[in-house]
Amino acid sequence: MFNRNRCLRRVAAIASISSLVAGCGVLSSDASDDEGPIVLGTTSAPSTLDPAASWDSSWELFRNIYQTLLSYPVGATTPQPDAAEQCGFSDSSNQVYRCELREGLTFSNGDKLDAQAVKYSIDRIRKINVNGGPAGLLGSLERVQAPSEHEVVFRLNKPDATFPFVLATPAMSIVNPGSYPADAVREGDGIVGSGPYTLKSYEEGEKAELVKNDRYKGDAELKNTAVTVRYFHDSAAMVRALRDKEIDLTYRGLAAEDVIGLQGKRSKDEEIQLVEGTGTDINYLVFNPKDPWAGKKAVRQAIAQVVDRAAIAHKVYKDTVDPLYSMVPKGLTGHTTGFFDDYGNPSVSKARKILADAGITQRVPLTLWYTTDRYGSETALEFQELKRQLEQSGLFRVTLKSRPWKTYVAGYQKGEYPVFGRGWFPDFPDADNFIAPFVGEQNALGTPYPAPQITGDLLPRSRRESDRGNVVKEFEQAQRILVDDARLLPLWQGRQYVAASRDISGAEQALDPSTIMMMWQLSRKTSW
């Protein structure tokens, strides 16, 4: 069993979760592929197979099948070369970024991967420009050049020290120009990539079968030859499959009740180990400024004054998450507690005064939307608790509505929801990535949020600084603006839990700094 008292400890950041290995060694041994593919369970199914269309947890699959110029080797917190041999800024102002490709790169179908393919991949993201898609990550990019077969040059329209982090995201996956249209999202259930695995088969919402890509040339060292990802609709079914040995480990979507159950039932005969680490994923509400009620600042502030985050964390999530009072989570440079500093503990009287001062005396009608199959089984309970809190104040009348993820995304991108819930798993471990994606005319929410001081001054100023420890002031000011606007309401910060069969090794090392699973790190133990 995984002895919690002796070995399990919360790590300071998800990037250091691999330190558990040194402390206990329960998941370290050599691999054997004799027993078939390693089977991973998750509740987060991809919304698309085309990187140009995704700014969500589809990246989990992309990281393992596509390749990026840069990625994160085990233990690294800054991007390192993958498809690239070397990369770096070639000027003093952080505006010209050059990469030299590895020799002999090919896609899984044998086609050559060269600088033109990289340029094509990045250009099509911006040309297709999916609403709420990854083009929003490329705001600082002016143009891409391919001066030779192995050289790619990114010219930026302003200094951006975070650009290498952007290139390391799965959104910047390199695709085959012969297989992916330049001006449209690729349809179908196939993938042509150059990553560690190829996609052998795919059943939407059910499973993805990955097998080793023998043509792969990059940093990853595969410790298995095949992985099957099974997609579950809820945590309970996923944990049952783990206990019945239908899957080998779970990642993303473990419900609080199941985490508590796994913690409480461990014994020397228990064949499931639970690995815990501090996460940087966050959960928050988004207010649509075009809605007649959610668009009113006083309404948003009154909601911020009423919502009891501690009750949500305790009652719904059984203290497996932590209350969050800023969009930048704890553990990252620039984190603040702005919402607590401004609003303090929940107060109905203060919320009533906020509304009265704005001339609002009637109960405010609101419709809150959530997705049924993306962020875990507790989402419905969380929104029921939010409804209870708001209605118990006597200030609001709340209607709850929900949709599956695919149609849910389409709805918020069209601006259909007055208030809706979102989760965020970071693109890269920097405060910039918890502010920039949500502001501007084009952002990850599909809901324009003009914030000129943030987009025109604070973010550009912070991106001139390569030493990210020197940009605390800029991020604190940006969060001050977010708190004042209350367009985004942070609720909680997650922890990371991986439940695995006792014979699986490498789970601690398989999470990169963005908490994306590098499936090639997983293996079966040969002996004890």
Side-chain angles (χ1 to χ4, degrees):
M1 107 176 211
F2 195 68
N3 189 323
R4 181 182 180 89
N5 295 330
R6 181 168 51 87
C7 178
L8 184 61
R9 60 191 184 276
R10 189 175 306 167
V11 291
I14 194 65
S16 61
I17 195 169
S18 59
S19 62
L20 291 170
V21 180
C24 194
V26 296
L27 296 180
S28 58
S29 191
D30 292 329
S32 172
D33 297 311
D34 296 338
E35 299 180 37
I38 291 174
V39 184
L40 167 70
T42 178
T43 61
S44 292
S47 61
T48 177
L49 296 183
D50 189 336
S54 171
W55 201 348
D56 60 26
S57 55
S58 302
W59 289 10
E60 202 86 52
L61 187 61
F62 296 171
R63 171 62 74 210
N64 292 276
I65 297 177
Y66 293 105
Q67 194 173 18
T68 47
L69 290 171
L70 304 169
S71 63
Y72 297 94
V74 173
T77 56
T78 57
Q80 304 297 321
D82 187 5
E85 186 71 38
Q86 58 183 7
C87 289
F89 283 105
S90 59
D91 66 329
S92 58
S93 63
N94 291 340
Q95 286 187 256
V96 180
Y97 196 76
R98 296 178 182 272
C99 288
E100 182 179 338
L101 298 182
R102 293 176 186 262
E103 294 281 348
L105 290 174
T106 64
F107 291 101
S108 56
N109 65 355
D111 290 351
K112 182 169 64 174
L113 192 167
D114 57 12
Q116 285 294 338
V118 176
K119 172 177 166 55
Y120 180 91
S121 301
I122 304 300
D123 284 344
R124 75 183 289 267
I125 292 172
R126 298 201 296 176
K127 186 171 185 178
I128 296 172
N129 196 22
V130 171
N131 187 24
L137 286 166
L138 296 170
S140 64
L141 179 62
E142 181 177 314
R143 65 184 185 277
V144 188
Q145 298 173 309
S148 68
E149 182 178 349
H150 293 98
E151 184 183 9
V152 186
V153 180
F154 300 91
R155 297 194 180 276
L156 310 184
N157 52 38
K158 51 195 169 187
D160 187 359
T162 71
F163 190 71
F165 291 92
V166 172
L167 289 180
T169 66
M172 304 300 128
S173 295
I174 305 167
V175 300
N176 188 338
S179 303
Y180 290 74
D183 56 359
V185 174
R186 186 176 191 263
E187 302 295 339
D189 57 5
I191 284 178
V192 181
S194 61
Y197 298 94
T198 60
L199 186 62
K200 179 181 177 182
S201 68
Y202 182 72
E203 297 176 35
E204 184 175 348
E206 298 295 329
K207 68 177 180 178
E209 293 184 315
L210 283 58
V211 296
K212 181 181 179 181
N213 177 12
D214 291 329
R215 299 179 186 273
Y216 170 72
K217 292 187 177 181
D219 180 74
E221 296 181 8
L222 276 70
K223 298 182 179 179
N224 60 67
T225 59
V227 174
T228 295
V229 184
R230 284 187 53 189
Y231 301 110
F232 292 84
H233 294 292
D234 60 72
S235 173
M238 184 167 64
V239 171
R240 282 197 301 272
L242 179 63
R243 292 192 180 281
D244 292 343
K245 299 184 179 180
E246 296 173 7
I247 63 175
D248 296 304
L249 72 161
T250 73
Y251 181 58
R252 295 227 193 276
L254 273 180
E257 292 284 359
D258 291 316
V259 170
I260 300 301
L262 289 168
Q263 289 173 337
K265 293 182 179 179
R266 283 176 290 182
S267 69
K268 66 180 180 180
D269 298 320
E270 177 64 73
E271 295 190 1
I272 296 175
Q273 51 205 335
L274 186 67
V275 180
E276 176 187 348
T278 299
T280 51
D281 59 298
I282 66 172
N283 183 275
Y284 57 98
L285 292 179
V286 183
F287 295 90
N288 187 341
K290 294 183 179 180
D291 181 77
W293 288 108
K296 297 180 185 295
K297 185 174 180 179
V299 170
R300 302 193 299 266
Q301 291 177 328
I303 293 172
Q305 185 63 73
V306 168
V307 167
D308 188 340
R309 296 167 176 81
I312 293 171
H314 180 68
K315 292 172 62 175
V316 178
Y317 291 95
K318 314 299 181 186
D319 299 316
T320 60
V321 303
D322 299 304
L324 183 63
Y325 297 93
S326 78
M327 289 299 288
V328 177
K330 293 177 287 186
L332 292 185
T333 299
H335 166 73
T336 69
T337 55
F339 276 93
F340 186 83
D341 298 340
D342 272 26
Y343 297 97
N345 292 318
S347 170
V348 173
S349 60
K350 290 181 180 179
R352 182 177 291 109
K353 184 177 187 305
I354 291 171
L355 292 174
D357 288 348
I360 301 172
T361 56
Q362 69 182 93
R363 290 186 68 172
V364 176
L366 287 174
T367 301
L368 273 59
W369 283 83
Y370 63 92
T371 180
T372 58
D373 58 355
R374 172 60 47 164
Y375 302 123
S377 307
E378 296 93 354
T379 304
L381 298 176
E382 175 184 350
F383 274 76
Q384 290 167 18
E385 173 63 15
L386 285 168
K387 174 182 169 72
R388 186 197 68 79
Q389 292 179 9
L390 294 173
E391 291 195 331
Q392 193 175 65
S393 72
L395 304 175
F396 302 94
R397 186 173 67 253
V398 177
T399 301
L400 298 181
K401 292 188 177 182
S402 62
R403 285 176 176 170
W405 178 249
K406 270 202 165 184
T407 52
Y408 184 74
V409 172
Y412 72 64
Q413 289 178 346
K414 294 176 183 176
E416 294 179 1
Y417 311 147
V419 186
F420 60 97
R422 278 295 310 266
W424 184 252
F425 298 95
D427 305 322
F428 50 85
D430 190 284
D432 183 288
N433 194 235
F434 289 87
I435 296 174
F438 310 124
V439 296
E441 289 297 324
Q442 183 180 29
N443 58 51
L445 304 172
T447 302
Y449 181 4
Q453 187 178 354
I454 296 178
T455 58
D457 177 30
L458 297 174
L459 288 176
R461 197 194 315 164
S462 73
R463 289 169 177 173
R464 297 188 189 103
E465 180 57 65
S466 297
D467 186 345
R468 306 308 288 161
N470 292 335
V471 293
V472 172
K473 180 180 178 181
E474 286 80 4
F475 289 131
E476 288 178 344
Q477 291 179 11
Q479 289 175 87
R480 175 75 266 150
I481 294 169
L482 296 182
V483 171
D484 289 343
D485 289 344
R487 283 274 306 274
L488 307 167
L489 186 66
L491 296 175
W492 51 261
Q493 175 176 350
R495 304 175 195 171
Q496 292 300 326
Y497 294 95
V498 175
S501 167
R502 191 169 152 84
D503 68 348
I504 292 297
S505 175
E508 314 94 328
Q509 299 147 303
L511 303 181
D512 77 6
S514 300
T515 71
I516 293 175
M517 183 163 280
M518 303 177 290
M519 299 175 192
W520 58 85
Q521 288 293 330
L522 303 172
S523 61
R524 297 188 190 280
K525 298 173 183 173
T526 55
S527 62
W528 282 85

